Amino acid sequence: MDLLEYMRSQNNMTQAEWKRTFEDEAREILVLLTGSSGASKRNGFWEAAHSYLAYVDCETGALCADEGRLVYPVSDEEYSAGGILGRFRDEEIYRVTARKKIPQELPEGMSASAQNQFLIVEVLE
C-alpha cells in the first residue's frame, strides 16, 4: 500500500474502526506534552492530537523518550464549538489512562513516530 492509499484508508475509518486500532487494555502513563496540537477530519468525527516528547509507564516505571501523540475523538458539534485544542496546556505533564496504538505496517515515507500514539481514556491529573 502506498502512502496515499494508506492515508485514504485511515480517513475513511469510522470512529469504532479507529478505536479498534488501539489496544483494549488501558494503562496509566505520565506524559510530557509539547506545544504542538491539531485535529483532522475522519469519517464522521474529528481526531484531536497533542504531541508529546516522552512518557513514563506508571506500572513499570519505564521511560519511553520517543515522540508521539495523545489522541481522542471529537464530534462535529464539539469541534464547531471550539476550544478542543486548548484542552491541554503546552509543556505540561499529565497523568492519564490511555490505550496504546497497535503496531501496524506503515507505507514508505511514513515516520515510525506515527505508531507512537495513545488514545486517551481518562485524564487523571
Side-chain angles (χ1 to χ4, degrees):
M1 176 182 307
D2 69 12
L3 183 58
L4 186 55
E5 287 176 280
Y6 175 82
M7 296 305 292
R8 284 183 179 142
S9 72
Q10 296 298 300
N11 289 338
N12 286 329
M13 283 185 187
T14 64
Q15 186 171 329
E17 291 169 331
W18 176 74
K19 283 185 173 184
R20 285 193 296 272
T21 67
F22 295 87
E23 295 175 350
D24 291 333
E25 188 174 325
R27 61 179 84 178
E28 187 175 317
I29 61 172
L30 293 170
V31 61
L32 173 60
L33 297 184
T34 67
S36 176
S37 60
S40 59
K41 181 69 170 165
R42 298 270 184 184
N43 184 4
F45 71 101
W46 289 83
E47 176 187 343
H50 300 272
S51 296
Y52 64 78
L53 290 175
Y55 72 89
V56 173
D57 184 307
C58 292
E59 183 177 323
T60 65
L63 168 67
C64 178
D66 296 331
E67 295 178 6
R69 299 184 310 164
L70 284 181
V71 297
Y72 53 95
V74 176
S75 69
D76 286 333
E77 294 78 19
E78 291 173 298
Y79 184 82
S80 294
I84 63 162
L85 298 180
R87 180 175 180 184
F88 296 97
R89 292 187 304 266
D90 299 341
E91 300 174 2
E92 291 281 336
I93 297 173
Y94 286 86
R95 186 169 62 101
V96 300
T97 53
R99 296 168 41 201
K100 186 164 180 52
K101 180 86 168 171
I102 298 169
Q104 61 186 40
E105 187 176 330
L106 296 175
E108 187 177 324
M110 268 309 280
S111 167
S113 67
Q115 302 275 21
N116 297 333
Q117 293 184 31
F118 281 95
L119 173 60
I120 298 172
V121 174
E122 182 179 7
V123 178
L124 302 170
E125 66 179 287

